Amino acid sequence: MYSVLLLCGGVAGVTTVLFGFGGGFVVVPLLYTLLISVHGPDSGIGQAAMHIAVATSTALMVFAASLSTWRHHLRQTVQWHLVRPLVGYIAVGAVLGAAAAVSLSGEWVRWAFIGYLGITIADAALRPGFLHQAGSDVRPMGVG
């Protein structure tokens, strides 16, 4: 079992480095499957397996984003005047998202995750620059 976790952790790291996303796409299904396998689908943990998997992935993302933000802050590369107006909207979105997740069954959360996964993959595949080069009229942000 530990070798499977090690392998999946490696895949999550590689996909994150290569594509800029991927950790949660590997970790959430892995944790879900692992929790169901170990505890059974009818146990309390089995019934909450999707909630636990998504919450674990979210906690890791919050930690990583906080660490990254702190490091950028120390390098003075965060434009706080652009970030501050968004803080309230982010907080409201987080509270609404958490309330929605708690009110939904694990099956709904699982299908929402599958839908999100599909949309993200389609976006990455269809957006210029991921599978094919963007046209010459596309400029980096801030270049006018």
Side-chain angles (χ1 to χ4, degrees), residues 32-49:
Y32 175 76
T33 303
L34 187 65
L35 290 168
I36 294 291
S37 298
V38 171
H39 297 282
D42 295 328
S43 69
I45 291 175
Q47 291 177 357

Side-chain angles (χ1 to χ4, degrees), residues 2 4 7 25 29-30 34 43 54 56 66 87 90-91 98 108 111 114 116 128 141-142:
Y2 290 112
V4 172
L7 177 67
F25 291 0
L30 170 69
L34 187 65
S43 69
V54 170
T56 301
S66 298
V87 171
I90 293 169
W108 276 98
W111 281 108
I114 291 168
Y116 170 73
M141 265 178 54

Side-chain angles (χ1 to χ4, degrees), residues 4-120:
V4 172
L5 290 172
L6 182 64
L7 177 67
C8 289
V11 170
V14 168
T15 58
T16 299
V17 169
L18 287 177
F19 306 121
F21 61 86
F25 291 0
V26 174
V27 172
V28 170
L30 170 69
L31 283 176
Y32 175 76
T33 303
L34 187 65
L35 290 168
I36 294 291
S37 298
V38 171
H39 297 282
D42 295 328
S43 69
I45 291 175
Q47 291 177 357
M50 196 63 191
H51 288 87
I52 294 168
V54 170
T56 301
S57 179
T58 302
L60 291 171
M61 284 187 276
V62 167
F63 176 77
S66 298
L67 181 61
S68 177
T69 301
W70 177 250
R71 292 183 75 177
H72 279 281
H73 170 74
L74 293 176
R75 291 185 181 128
Q76 298 179 346
T77 58
V78 179
Q79 297 179 15
W80 288 111
H81 67 281
L82 298 175
V83 175
R84 282 188 192 98
L86 301 175
V87 171
Y89 296 108
I90 293 169
V92 169
V95 169
L96 292 175
V102 168
S103 67
L104 296 174
S105 72
E107 192 66 20
W108 276 98
V109 175
R110 187 167 75 84
W111 281 108
F113 178 79
I114 291 168
Y116 170 73
L117 186 68
I119 290 168
T120 302

